[in-house]
Structures are given as C-alpha cells and as structure tokens.
Amino acid sequence: IERADWHAIVAGRARAEATGFQEDSELLQSAAAALEELREAHELEEAERIVTEMNAKLEELRRQENELVGPVHKKQRNAIGKKILSCRNCEDFVSSQRFLKNPEEERARRIACARELKKRAEEERKRLLQRQREALAELHAVLEASDEDAVRALLVEDILEAADVEAAEAFLSGQELRRKEAEKDAALCEFSFAGMDRRTLFQASVAINGLLTEKYGLQEGSDFKFKVVAASNSVFVAFCSTAAAEEVRATAAEAARNTAVVAQAEVRGPGAFSHVPDATLQGLRRDAEGLRARALAAGAAGQDTLLNNQAATVSSLGSRSSVGPEDAAERGGPRPLTAAKSTG
C-alpha cells in the first residue's frame, strides 16, 4: 500500500481474503481505499498499454498480409485477415480505445457492465442452487426406480454435490455387479412354492422333471439337473444352455397349466431368486457349466462323426471312379476303345 503498487495491492488483498480476513477489517479497508486512489491512473496506464500492444500486433499482421502476394497465398491471407478482424474487435482493445477518448463515459459504462455481470452471476448462482435441489430429488426417485440411464444423465449434467455423486456411482457399480452375477445365473431357473410342505415339494420336483422331459424334450443329466432347496421351498434347475433356461422361464407357466402342483410355482430368473446359501448357488452354477461343457463336447464329437462320414463317402466315390479297363471287363462292363496298331 505504501509503495502505491496496484498489482501488489490486488495480490495482497486476495491472499488476505484467502487467509480469513473479513471485508470490514482494517487491512482490507486500507487496501480498498488505496486501490480507489490509484484507480484512475491505473486504468489510464492499462488502457495505453493495451492499445499500444494491440496496435503493434495489428501492424505486424498487416505487414505479413501485404507480403503474401498472389493466388498461392490466398488462404493464408484470409486467415491473417480474420485474425486482424478478431484483434480489432477484441473487447479489451475497444474498451481501452473508448477510455482514452472519454475516460468518464467509458468508466461509467464499465461500472454498468460490471453490475450487469454481477446480477447475471447471482441469477446463475440461484438457478444452479435450485437445480441442485431438483437434481437431488430426481436422484432419489431414479435410484428408487433403478433407472440407470437417468442416473447417468444426472452425472453427465455435473450438477450433483460430491456425496450425491458418490451415491450415484455406487448405485451404477452395484448394478454392474448384479449384471455380472445375473450372467453367471443365466442358465438357472427357480420354481418357487411359497408355504409348501416338504413332501409336496418333493412331488413337485418329480412333476417338474416330467414337465421338462415331456413338454420340452429335455433329458435329465444331459440337458438339465434339478435341486430341491427346502430352505426356500424351491426347486432349482440348471440347464445346459442359456437359451433352454430362457425358454422354460418364458413358457413354463403356460406349459404347466395341466400339472396342478407345478402350476402353483412362481417361475423366477436371475436377479429374482429366493435367498439361498451361496454354496447351493455355486453348486448349481457348476452343474450348469458342466452340462454346457458336455453339450459342447457332444456337439463337437457329432461334427467330427459327420465329417468322417463325409470323408468316407468321398473316398468311396473316388475309388469307384478309378476302375481300370481290366476291372471293367471283369465286371461285365464294356472295354474302352483303343487305337488300332498299324500293320502296313
């Protein structure tokens, strides 16, 4: 302040505010008073500096433009021309020119502009605050609805506070984890019988076996395996393929209409299974993977057999086409015609 250094005072005031000095403190009031005394001289000095530097820059650009003669430099001249126009219309340059012509008028215009900018900034702050409140309410609603797309949209908008961002990202991570778990269980199906006694549950498992065999043409041991889970009153079925499990889940209720005990079941898929011990679920997953591996191996063996049969057929046809003249005669076939020898 004693040196009357505008830039040093501005920097010192910023540091004081950052360290906790109040606006009405003696130090900051002294800084404000010093800046007010220096303002007119600083503004004049700053305007002269900006105008001098910009005029020098414009002069250099015009010199470069004038040196570029001929059509070969047309694009480069156009680019320099655009840069010249941009410099001439620069807000700081135009304002500084106006200030040098009429300092009082330009100062009043700057004050009015500053007030307008402050007003707009305050309006934007209030708008963002209101939007944050709305976004928080939206986040609670979309989390409740498990709407991943809406959660991602709120994150892209970048309007949520840090704690809410963490909650949104945790939700998305959980959804991804559930998807991966569901992929593991895609070949499983649950027939849930709420409140059923164990004896009837065993009868239901027999009925399900019959349903899968008769209605779907599947064979136990090769196409599916089932497990009675008394703890959840359920019969779980592991299939050899995801497609088979999906088909059963989609059509079992209709297929079991005439099977009274099975018709009582609620058919469930991945993500909706009853709570069962993790070891039970892991065992069912291993069953599904084992069935799938055997089905793939059987398919590969069948393909090999088909290829071997095709090769044998081709070989047989090839051997038939290589029959010699003598063989043809022995089989009663006509001998091929041969050229007569000359006796002359």
Side-chain angles (χ1 to χ4, degrees):
I1 293 173
E2 291 178 356
R3 293 200 311 269
D5 186 333
W6 173 277
H7 297 290
I9 295 172
V10 170
R13 184 175 65 174
R15 287 196 296 272
E17 289 173 345
T19 54
F21 279 84
Q22 298 298 316
E23 189 175 350
D24 58 354
S25 65
E26 183 179 351
L27 179 64
L28 290 184
Q29 285 185 344
S30 298
L35 290 175
E36 192 59 35
E37 290 179 6
L38 297 170
R39 186 175 304 281
E40 186 173 342
H42 170 73
E43 288 176 342
L44 180 60
E45 180 185 344
E46 192 71 4
E48 289 174 344
R49 181 189 65 79
I50 291 173
V51 169
T52 300
E53 290 179 358
M54 187 61 76
N55 282 334
K57 185 175 182 179
L58 287 168
E59 185 178 349
E60 174 61 19
L61 289 170
R62 292 191 188 100
R63 184 191 65 76
Q64 294 176 13
E65 186 180 37
N66 292 333
E67 288 179 354
L68 299 171
V69 181
V72 70
H73 298 298
K74 181 179 178 181
K75 291 182 178 179
Q76 191 174 355
R77 280 200 309 274
N78 289 341
I80 293 177
K82 289 179 181 179
K83 195 168 185 179
I84 290 173
L85 184 62
S86 175
C87 289
R88 288 175 59 185
N89 293 329
C90 172
E91 176 62 28
D92 285 346
F93 180 53
V94 173
S95 176
S96 296
Q97 286 179 312
R98 287 197 297 254
F99 188 88
L100 294 177
K101 289 179 181 178
N102 191 331
E104 292 303 322
E105 185 177 312
E106 180 59 19
R107 188 175 288 114
R109 194 194 68 83
R110 290 181 180 181
I111 292 172
C113 287
R115 287 173 180 167
E116 181 62 24
L117 290 174
K118 186 176 181 180
K119 178 183 176 183
R120 291 180 184 177
E122 180 62 18
E123 290 174 352
E124 179 64 10
R125 187 189 68 80
K126 290 180 179 178
R127 186 194 69 79
L128 287 176
L129 188 60
Q130 177 62 27
R131 179 62 192 130
Q132 277 186 335
R133 296 193 191 100
E134 295 170 354
L136 180 58
E138 289 176 18
L139 178 63
H140 290 161
V142 296
L143 288 177
E144 184 69 24
S146 296
D147 188 340
E148 290 185 49
D149 190 50
V151 173
R152 294 183 192 281
L154 287 171
L155 288 175
V156 170
E157 189 179 351
D158 196 21
I159 194 67
L160 298 172
E161 293 185 358
D164 302 322
V165 168
E166 289 181 9
E169 291 176 343
F171 164 78
L172 293 175
S173 298
Q175 291 292 95
E176 183 63 24
L177 182 61
R178 279 187 284 275
R179 259 194 300 277
K180 290 180 179 178
E181 289 296 318
E183 288 174 5
K184 294 179 183 177
D185 300 335
L188 303 182
C189 178
E190 178 190 7
F191 292 82
S192 176
F193 300 91
M196 182 175 284
D197 61 80
R198 293 195 176 188
R199 181 177 178 181
T200 310
L201 183 62
F202 175 75
Q203 294 173 353
S205 68
V206 175
I208 290 170
N209 193 338
L211 176 72
L212 297 176
T213 303
E214 296 169 11
K215 297 288 186 180
Y216 294 93
L218 302 175
Q219 296 300 316
E220 183 187 0
S222 58
D223 296 320
F224 71 90
K225 286 185 177 181
F226 68 88
K227 183 176 184 62
V228 177
V229 183
S232 60
N233 278 0
S234 300
V235 177
F236 278 83
V237 184
F239 292 91
C240 62
S241 70
T242 299
E246 289 174 348
E247 175 68 16
V248 171
R249 288 196 296 265
T251 61
E254 178 68 20
R257 282 191 306 173
N258 297 325
T259 310
V261 66
V262 181
Q264 300 176 40
E266 179 186 351
V267 183
R268 297 176 178 175
F273 292 152
S274 302
H275 179 70
V276 295
D278 188 59
T280 300
L281 202 54
Q282 293 295 342
L284 288 163
R285 289 170 181 164
R286 286 193 296 271
D287 286 343
E289 186 59 31
L291 291 169
R292 179 175 176 275
R294 267 179 279 174
L296 289 174
Q303 184 66 17
D304 289 342
T305 301
L306 177 60
L307 291 174
N308 290 335
N309 290 341
Q310 289 175 343
T313 302
V314 171
S315 176
S316 175
L317 291 173
S319 63
R320 290 178 188 174
S321 64
S322 61
V323 175
E326 292 78 9
D327 294 332
E330 290 175 4
R331 297 179 185 180
R335 284 179 177 272
L337 296 177
T338 56
K341 292 183 179 180
S342 171
T343 57

